[in-house]
Amino acid sequence: MDRTEKLAKDIMNDIGYCDIMVLCVLKGGYKFCADLVENLKNISRNSDTFVSMKVDFIRLKSYQNDQALGDMQIIGGDDFSELTGKNILIVEDIVGTGRTMKSLLGKIEKYKPNMIKVASLLVKRSPRSDGFQPDCCNAELHAYLGSVGMEETLGIHSCFRQDHGHVTFTEGDSATRTGVTQPCV
């Protein structure tokens, strides 16, 4: 069982086999979201309870030319009033400082959903992190994250980190630049 399958299982256990409204944060989250939703559907198919899933896509804009905007903008997404009373799963590729996600959660909570869960492929910790922790995450990095296109370069279930000048690939890439493979933690 790979990490995304395990994450899907944890989400289903946490949400309780209820209908789910998935909000995929673009652009980076779409591949991880597709894998996660497929795994959620497989779990639903193999259970006694059918779980309905609707997927919607949003983009978040909190920076412009490396400058923080005063207020985060949500681009796309259908009418958020449809979130009232629903079980919401937000799928993001990378949670950095956590400020953008906290802002999004604040905006969504105004619509009074039944439940909100956040799933992230990676959490990137830095001195600027505010401590936000998604409900589910594949890996956490405490160092430089090298590539925005890592899903294509290493595969969706892979991550890498750079510590003291050594790059380490994990989860699916046996060839490493340092010759050492260790899990992302």
Side-chain angles (χ1 to χ4, degrees):
M1 178 181 309
D2 72 18
R3 287 182 176 203
T4 305
E5 285 177 274
K6 183 179 179 334
L7 210 58
K9 198 174 215 179
D10 291 345
I11 289 166
M12 290 300 265
N13 290 332
D14 200 26
I15 290 179
Y17 291 83
C18 299
D19 294 348
I20 303 170
M21 173 66 188
V22 179
L23 284 180
C24 176
V25 180
L26 297 174
K27 295 185 179 178
Y30 80 97
K31 287 184 179 183
F32 173 56
C33 184
D35 273 359
L36 187 59
V37 167
E38 187 60 34
N39 280 291
L40 290 167
K41 286 180 179 180
N42 287 338
I43 292 169
S44 172
R45 281 186 211 113
N46 295 321
S47 75
D48 296 333
T49 309
F50 175 75
V51 177
S52 170
M53 277 177 260
K54 180 181 177 190
V55 180
D56 203 353
F57 300 91
I58 59 173
R59 287 187 67 191
L60 306 177
K61 188 172 182 179
S62 56
Y63 289 89
Q64 185 167 343
N65 299 330
D66 294 335
Q67 298 294 318
L69 298 172
D71 192 28
M72 180 193 66
Q73 299 172 352
I74 301 173
I75 303 164
D78 290 338
D79 181 12
F80 277 4
S81 65
E82 293 180 9
L83 303 179
T84 303
K86 301 276 176 40
N87 297 311
I88 310 301
L89 176 64
I90 300 170
V91 181
E92 171 73 288
D93 63 343
I94 301 170
V95 172
T97 64
R99 289 185 205 109
T100 301
M101 189 54 65
K102 278 186 173 180
S103 180
L104 175 62
L105 290 170
K107 291 178 187 258
I108 290 175
E109 286 169 352
K110 292 177 186 175
Y111 294 96
K112 306 220 183 304
N114 181 50
M115 177 189 306
I116 305 173
K117 298 291 179 185
V118 177
S120 177
L121 177 64
L122 299 172
V123 174
K124 180 176 72 170
R125 292 290 170 223
S126 74
R128 294 180 24 216
S129 297
D130 67 2
F132 174 80
Q133 185 68 31
D135 299 289
C136 345
C137 154
N138 265 358
E140 185 168 307
L141 305 173
H142 295 277
Y144 172 76
L145 182 62
S147 170
V148 175
M150 74 189 149
E151 294 93 346
E152 286 130 19
T153 305
L154 301 175
I156 193 69
H157 304 298
S158 302
C159 64
F160 66 97
R161 64 185 190 184
Q162 181 173 330
D163 294 331
H164 310 294
H166 301 286
V167 177
T168 304
F169 295 85
T170 63
E171 292 295 315
D173 187 342
S174 58
T176 67
R177 292 184 189 172
T178 61
V180 177
T181 302
Q182 49 186 299
C184 288
V185 290

